[in-house]
Amino acid sequence: MRTCIASLLLVISPVLAASAAQAQDGMLSLEMLYHPTKKEKFDTKPLTRLAWDAQNRLIETQSKDGVVQQFVVNPATWHKQVLSLDGNILAMMTAAGIPEKEAKAQIDKLTPQIKPDLKSYLFTYKNDLWLLDLQRGKVRELTHTPDQVEDEAILSPDLQSVAYLKGNDIYLTDIATATEKRLTTGGNETTFNGRLDWVYMEEIYGRGKLRAFWWAPDSKKIAYLSFDESKVPVYTLSGDHVQPIKSERTRYPKAGDPNPDVKLGVVDMTGQTSWTENPYAGKETLIVQVGWTPDGKLLASWQDRVQTWLDLRLYDAKYRSRQLLRESSPAWVERLPLPQFLKDGSFIWESDRTGHHHLYRYDQQYQLKGAITKGDWDIRSVYGVDEAKGKVFFAANERNPIGNDVYAVNLDGSKLQRLTTESGTHNARWNSAYTHFIDSWSSLRQPPRQAVFNAEGVSQKLVDDVGVPEKMQGLKLAKVTQQQIKSRDGFLMESLLFLPPDFDPNKKYPVYQHLYSGPMASQVVDRWNSNLWHHFLAQQGYIVWIMDNRSASNKGLASAWPIHKRLGQLELQDQLDGLEWLRKQGWADMDRIALNGWSYGGYMTSYAMTHSKAWKIGFVGAPVTDYRLYDSVYTERYMGLPQENAEGYDKGSVLKAAKDLSGKIMIMHGTMDDNVHPQNTIMFIDELIKNGKDYSLQLYPGAGHGPRGDWVVWSQQKAKWEFLKNNL
């Protein structure tokens, strides 16, 4: 659940909506939003593709009919000069024997990856690896084993080799000769060399990322993780949606179960592996980061099983390690990025040690020199360091708690400077000299824009101002207000309201409330999006409300730490405080409130419906119904081990409170959900039946954690709309 499934938001300013030309009657329909063949597209226009090259030139990339063109752009005059190394990639691919239709599909995937200075790109075609070489204007096949899948391929830093996975081992192909070599052996059903297992992928390194190997800067070595899964329990998804049954078996450690045993090795180009020592022999640990220093020394970050500390370790030539620093916490420590080293051997370190995410300077002896940034705000991402001028560039929420801005600060912590003026969510891309940056941004009320700025934040050129999509301009959209709501102890919780276009404060309205509620996973974000579901509901006479409880607000770990070992309890208290604010507004019908959530939001909805009587109906999507049923790494970070916190697990359980269900619920779950297992829903239903409680159920055959596909989504939204109309 590290990546939440959120209901996406779009907000249009009242002035814009009122002045727009009418499109039909200005009303949305469910078919316009979701029907597979009748739905409309309300997406904004794509932004111009801009990037910096190694010479700090601004490059625009265009692609049409398989032809990629790049232009050098003068930021001052916006004069464009065609680069000589243009490439008709379609012609290259068809010349290599790839049919035109399939070549165009490959080009669609490759084009967003193309950068000004990189001339070599990998792609997979018919289970083999291929190389697109723009320098030579050729496409060629690198492997010749169509019966075996190669995945997670990555070029070496010197672009002479490519490393990849076949099954559960690492292989290497020399690009010049296209000869293949196997670097690791022993990979099988329970041994993964260089491939992440399920729980490391989902909760540590990032959903969808399976690569567990990292090239050394000199291209002569590869660090990798090796997983022993033999003790990890197997969970089976039966696959009843097809005949014959297509089962999926995944080694999945639930809270308290054995985790995989993991070790860190380094393999050279001959296939010889050197294993690093285990500095925590006899203790259960996690290896949460692996990388290299600029001069080729191995780095790794380790945590204890329940993630109360994090150690950064540096390895010598014999792969013995020393601890450079330790992070600890009154609750849990988040996985942190590896340090950013400077030319003199000192480094910048990101830490949540104060309860807020800030930067710290360490000297060449790895001793703390001091904080670079501080305050009741958080750094969101670090762009880089201009060592010549002694400045760090980063994004932070210092001004806007639900967005971010671009900042610069001196390495000694002086002269904090905000470089962006318009409020919203910004994404900056600096050139390597840190003289200019490309900024793309949007806000709740502002569609995406893109401009080039100098290092002082002065706009050089507004490149894109995409505006409101034409199809949206005639719609009678909700009036949206943003507000902060005080919890009982004074914490300011962020909130959004979608009010009906003809809102009358003297009337009473039913309320559709959406939440996620999971730690550091806010739903109230100052960013544009084109999903109109909440506007549709507002047109139908519902007030739509979204509020982040404190632990979900992403306002620093300090705001989330109080939920440690007691998931559900404080989140519900905050949501009930929000309802009290709503009641005081006078126009909400407090006897007609619906609650909606998916994943952690599904847990929170089912928890709220079984631990309070405040909501009349609930939409419960893919819920964790008892945290003993969820994975070890996520759950134990927040709850500790079940055997050491039985009371906290019991109080956070929906299963144990099923007898107290109040109101009507619709449960939704994909039958092949390998994240929040259907077991959660089945066991919940079993308890509801035993306690004489009614429920509605929507299953999605073959669907995973987030149901996908036009017809599945259409079925889901129809069912939700009917349930809402009939029961609220």
Side-chain angles (χ1 to χ4, degrees), residues 193-497:
N193 292 320
R195 184 184 297 279
L196 294 172
D197 80 325
W198 189 91
V199 76
Y200 264 67
M201 175 274 296
E202 174 68 23
E203 305 298 2
I204 299 176
Y205 287 89
R207 183 176 301 170
K209 299 176 182 178
L210 295 171
R211 184 186 301 126
F213 62 89
W214 299 266
W215 278 103
D218 63 4
S219 301
K220 295 179 180 179
K221 301 180 292 292
I222 294 175
Y224 71 98
L225 296 178
S226 180
F227 294 80
D228 178 357
E229 299 277 298
S230 58
K231 297 177 183 177
V232 180
V234 174
Y235 185 86
T236 301
L237 293 162
S238 63
D240 295 314
H241 59 292
V242 290
Q243 172 59 30
I245 287 176
K246 191 175 182 179
S247 296
E248 291 182 7
R249 300 173 75 253
T250 305
R251 291 190 178 269
Y252 181 112
K254 295 184 186 292
D257 281 346
N259 277 340
D261 290 326
V262 186
K263 57 184 179 179
L264 174 60
V266 177
V267 63
D268 63 23
M269 298 301 95
T270 70
Q272 182 66 39
T273 292
S274 300
W275 296 107
T276 64
E277 64 173 0
N278 180 356
Y280 311 97
K283 296 181 180 179
E284 291 191 276
T285 53
L286 307 169
I287 305 175
V288 300
Q289 286 278 19
V290 179
W292 300 87
T293 65
D295 60 354
K297 293 185 178 68
L298 182 65
L299 284 168
S301 294
W302 296 66
Q303 290 192 265
D304 59 325
R305 175 170 176 142
V306 293
Q307 300 148 77
T308 60
W309 53 259
L310 179 148
D311 286 351
L312 175 65
R313 305 194 73 89
L314 178 70
Y315 294 78
D316 62 20
K318 294 183 179 180
Y319 302 114
R320 296 169 301 196
S321 67
R322 59 177 288 200
Q323 178 184 312
L324 299 188
L325 59 85
R326 168 168 285 200
E327 295 284 345
S328 58
S329 156
W332 69 87
V333 175
E334 292 282 329
R335 175 180 184 243
L336 296 168
L338 290 174
Q340 180 157 349
F341 283 87
L342 306 182
K343 292 176 182 177
D344 64 1
S346 65
F347 64 84
I348 294 171
W349 176 249
E350 299 179 44
S351 169
D352 297 299
R353 62 188 59 169
T354 64
H356 288 280
H357 198 79
H358 283 294
L359 299 180
Y360 297 82
R361 181 81 183 272
Y362 282 75
D363 64 20
Q364 295 94 325
Q365 285 72 46
Y366 317 119
Q367 298 300 306
L368 176 64
K369 293 184 68 175
I372 300 174
T373 60
K374 60 182 68 175
D376 293 334
W377 49 273
D378 293 85
I379 286 178
R380 297 295 189 217
S381 58
V382 178
Y383 297 124
V385 181
D386 181 352
E387 294 194 48
K389 295 181 180 177
K391 288 182 177 291
V392 187
F393 300 95
F394 57 89
N397 68 342
E398 185 262 350
R399 169 176 68 156
N400 181 1
I402 64 171
N404 67 28
D405 284 286
V406 180
Y407 289 84
V409 69
N410 289 342
L411 281 169
D412 63 4
S414 64
K415 295 184 179 179
L416 178 68
Q417 180 185 7
R418 178 166 50 82
L419 303 177
T420 44
T421 55
E422 293 192 34
S423 186
T425 298
H426 293 261
N427 178 33
R429 288 164 289 151
W430 287 84
N431 64 13
S432 60
Y434 298 101
T435 59
H436 292 82
F437 65 94
I438 305 161
D439 184 26
S440 52
W441 75 98
S442 69
S443 71
L444 287 165
R445 294 171 175 83
Q446 171 61 54
R449 288 179 175 175
Q450 183 172 225
V452 177
F453 294 84
N454 68 18
E456 298 300 315
V458 177
S459 178
Q460 308 295 287
K461 171 73 174 180
L462 178 62
V463 184
D464 297 293
D465 188 357
V466 301
V468 178
E470 185 177 348
K471 288 186 178 180
M472 204 178 288
Q473 294 179 13
L475 299 174
K476 296 176 182 177
L477 295 168
K479 176 186 178 184
V480 182
T481 65
Q482 178 188 346
Q483 49 278 315
Q484 293 182 318
I485 297 169
K486 282 187 178 181
S487 67
R488 64 191 67 184
D489 58 0
F491 187 92
L492 291 176
M493 300 182 290
E494 304 294 335
S495 165
L496 286 176
L497 281 168

Side-chain angles (χ1 to χ4, degrees), residues 610 654-663 682-695:
T610 53
V654 177
L655 298 183
K656 292 184 179 297
K659 64 183 185 304
D660 299 319
L661 176 67
S662 173
I682 300 301
M683 292 181 70
F684 184 33
I685 289 172
D686 189 35
E687 291 299 318
L688 293 175
I689 291 170
K690 289 175 183 175
N691 287 280
K693 298 293 183 178
D694 296 331
Y695 64 93

Side-chain angles (χ1 to χ4, degrees), residues 20 24 111 117 119 126 163 168 250 266 276 310 343 423 468 523 525 552 577 581-582:
Q24 299 175 355
T111 300
D117 291 301
K119 303 304 176 187
K126 290 188 175 179
N168 291 328
T250 305
V266 177
T276 64
L310 179 148
K343 292 176 182 177
S423 186
V468 178
Q523 299 294 281
V525 182
D577 289 352
W581 174 88
L582 196 65

